Amino acid sequence: AGLEGDAYDSQLQSYEKSLQELKALFVQKYGHDIDDVDEDGCVWIKTAGCSCMETLEEKLAEVKCLYHEKFGADAGLEDDAYDSQLQRSEKSLLFLKVLFVQKFGYDVDDIDEDGAVWIKKAGCSVMERLEEKLAEVQCLYHEKFGADAGLEDDAYDSQL
């Protein structure tokens, strides 16, 4: 009985292997799985599974892993460092622009490539005036307290 069972299992494995090979050939020839065809010969396309966004997120995670394996660092850290440096640079630029206005009485952007100052007659929008006032207040705060305005609020919020 043991030899017959082994022969049966061997034959069954051989048939399963042949079936898998036939299914692979079917996919190569027709572009879809034979299991996607119903008894009437209609092909049913499966749409269940991951959305495009989930697939993209999986690919991104895979690429980040490969990046980490190759370079020994996380791919997002360089972006975070760049964004942080960019924010610091933008703050510094804004600070310098305010100092320029305080010293010379006009905006650095009002100077053309020949060094001539162009005075705007149209005036500033309300938002531009508010941004200038905010920048001025931030500079004064920095001069008085030696820190950027808003950092204390962040520290306070993180303690809550």
Side-chain angles (χ1 to χ4, degrees), residues 31-76:
H32 56 81
D33 197 292
I34 194 167
D35 295 328
D36 296 338
V37 180
D38 68 7
E39 61 274 352
D40 297 324
C42 293
V43 178
W44 290 85
I45 306 298
K46 297 176 187 174
T47 57
C50 296
S51 68
C52 290
M53 184 57 82
E54 290 171 336
T55 303
L56 286 173
E57 288 173 348
E58 288 173 5
K59 296 281 184 191
L60 176 61
E62 182 181 341
V63 168
K64 283 184 175 182
C65 287
L66 292 171
Y67 183 92
H68 181 73
E69 287 174 12
K70 181 164 183 146
F71 299 106
D74 291 334

Side-chain angles (χ1 to χ4, degrees), residues 123-134:
C124 296
S125 70
V126 173
M127 184 57 86
E128 288 174 328
R129 282 190 300 244
L130 286 173
E131 287 174 347
E132 287 175 3
K133 293 290 183 186
L134 175 62

Side-chain angles (χ1 to χ4, degrees), residues 7 35 49-50 66 73 80 88 106 108 112 126 128 140 143 160:
D35 295 328
C50 296
L66 292 171
D80 294 342
R88 285 193 304 272
Y106 53 87
V108 69
D112 68 8
V126 173
E128 288 174 328
L140 292 171
E143 287 174 9
L160 291 178

Side-chain angles (χ1 to χ4, degrees), residues 92-107:
S92 296
L93 178 62
L94 184 60
F95 181 73
L96 289 172
K97 283 185 172 187
V98 169
L99 291 176
F100 187 92
V101 169
Q102 288 175 348
K103 182 171 184 171
F104 296 105
Y106 53 87
D107 197 295

